[in-house]
């Protein structure tokens, strides 16, 4: 009987060989909000060995309702730094490449996405999202999983995963398709998205963008969000990575 470790129960479920594959897997997560933060933690707890974390924001008081690293004590601190510290406490051996910056078309090459096995798109800005998807899919060895709109969603049982072209009823996917058509067409490779076709409206009073939040301050509209649905989006993205690794390697024992 082996001595227990932080990954003992993962190994019990998936086998030692697959755990070794998880340790050797590199994942880039772009956007660490209500979706990306939970995805990052799930991947680290599951044994992924290396993560690149990209986000430019500081924790805002309006993040506390849904983002993993956001508490009343971390308001004003760098999101990516607070999250990185937490992830290191979970697994001190995880390799973290931390970027406190915005991903955009101008600086895309600096992220060296081609060295990663998976890229997670958890961006909610349309232009940056389209740029990331195109850039990541330009590398034949990289698999991309993307989050569509998680705001204004309440029903966890409507959340699903589909190939991008098959999504119906998601506003962000619709806008992204229009963006692709206007800026050179669809990416050449297909990619899977987590999404929901639930439709709700904001019922509370509008809130002003936080001027201390470099990302939120640019938003024309801020939509309501809630923890369980944004977290499920993030966990589902992490699950897609693990499922793909298991299907690719089929390791047992």
């Amino acid at each position: 009987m082996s001595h227990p470790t932080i990954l003992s129960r993962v190994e019990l479920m998936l086998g030692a060989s697959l755990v070794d594959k998880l340790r050797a897997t590199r994942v880039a997560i772009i956007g660490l909000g209500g979706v990306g933060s939970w995805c990052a933690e799930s991947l680290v707890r599951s044994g992924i060995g290396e993560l690149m974390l990209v986000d430019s924001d500081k924790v805002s008081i309006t993040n506390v309702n849904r983002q993993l690293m956001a508490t009343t004590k971390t308001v004003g601190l760098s999101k990516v730094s607070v999250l990185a510290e937490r992830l290191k406490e979970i697994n001190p051996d995880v390799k973290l490449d931390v970027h406190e910056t915005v991903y955009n078309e101008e600086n895309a090459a600096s992220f060296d996405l081609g060295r990663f096995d998976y890229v997670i798109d958890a961006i909610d800005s349309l232009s940056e999202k389209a740029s990331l998807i195109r850039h990541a899919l330009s590398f034949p060895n990289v698999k991309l999983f993307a989050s569509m709109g998680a705001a204004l969603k309440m029903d966890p049982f409507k959340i699903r995963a589909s190939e991008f072209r098959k999504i119906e009823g998601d506003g962000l996917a619709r806008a992204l398709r229009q963006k692709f058509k206007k800026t050179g067409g669809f990416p050449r490779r297909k990619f899977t998205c987590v999404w929901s076709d639930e439709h709700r409206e904001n019922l509370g009073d509008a809130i002003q963008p936080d001027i201390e939040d470099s990302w939120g301050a640019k938003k024309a509209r801020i939509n309501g969000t809630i923890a369980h649905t944004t977290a499920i989006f993030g966990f589902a993205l992490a699950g897609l990575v693990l499922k793909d690794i298991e299907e690719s390697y089929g390791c047992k024992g």
Side-chain angles (χ1 to χ4, degrees), residues 138-159:
S138 71
F139 300 101
N141 60 300
V142 173
K143 293 186 178 180
L144 171 82
F145 296 119
S147 172
M148 295 295 106
L152 292 174
K153 312 296 183 185
M154 182 73 172
D155 187 347
F157 301 104
K158 288 184 177 291
I159 300 169

Side-chain angles (χ1 to χ4, degrees), residues 28-89:
I29 305 178
I30 318 297
L32 298 170
V35 174
S37 59
W38 296 98
C39 179
E41 171 141 340
S42 182
L43 290 174
V44 169
R45 289 187 185 275
S46 299
I48 294 298
E50 182 175 348
L51 292 180
M52 179 166 73
L53 306 174
V54 182
D55 198 293
S56 67
D57 287 350
K58 291 180 170 38
V59 177
S60 165
I61 192 67
T62 62
N63 300 151
V64 176
N65 79 310
R66 72 197 183 285
Q67 296 184 9
L68 179 71
M69 62 285 182
T71 70
T72 55
K73 290 185 177 181
T74 62
V75 169
L77 301 180
S78 159
K79 285 184 183 179
V80 70
S81 297
V82 175
L83 181 61
E85 182 178 353
R86 177 181 171 90
L87 298 179
K88 276 290 189 179
E89 289 178 354

Side-chain angles (χ1 to χ4, degrees), residues 112-138:
D112 194 17
L113 294 183
R115 74 181 185 86
F116 290 89
D117 303 294
Y118 299 90
V119 170
I120 301 296
D121 160 35
I123 299 176
D124 56 7
S125 170
L126 190 61
S127 295
E128 281 77 14
K129 194 175 196 73
S131 174
L132 173 62
I133 291 170
R134 278 210 180 97
H135 185 205
L137 293 176
S138 71

Side-chain angles (χ1 to χ4, degrees), residues 1 7 18 20 46 55 59 86 161 165 171 174 180 186-187 226 229-230 232:
M1 184 176 293
L7 296 177
L18 193 59
D20 288 340
S46 299
D55 198 293
V59 177
R86 177 181 171 90
R165 291 168 177 80
R174 182 169 55 253
F180 284 144
F186 280 65
I226 202 158
T229 43
T230 56
I232 291 169

Side-chain angles (χ1 to χ4, degrees), residues 84-100:
E85 182 178 353
R86 177 181 171 90
L87 298 179
K88 276 290 189 179
E89 289 178 354
I90 294 167
N91 182 3
D93 294 327
V94 67
K95 296 178 183 178
L96 298 179
D97 184 11
V98 176
H99 296 260
E100 189 178 350

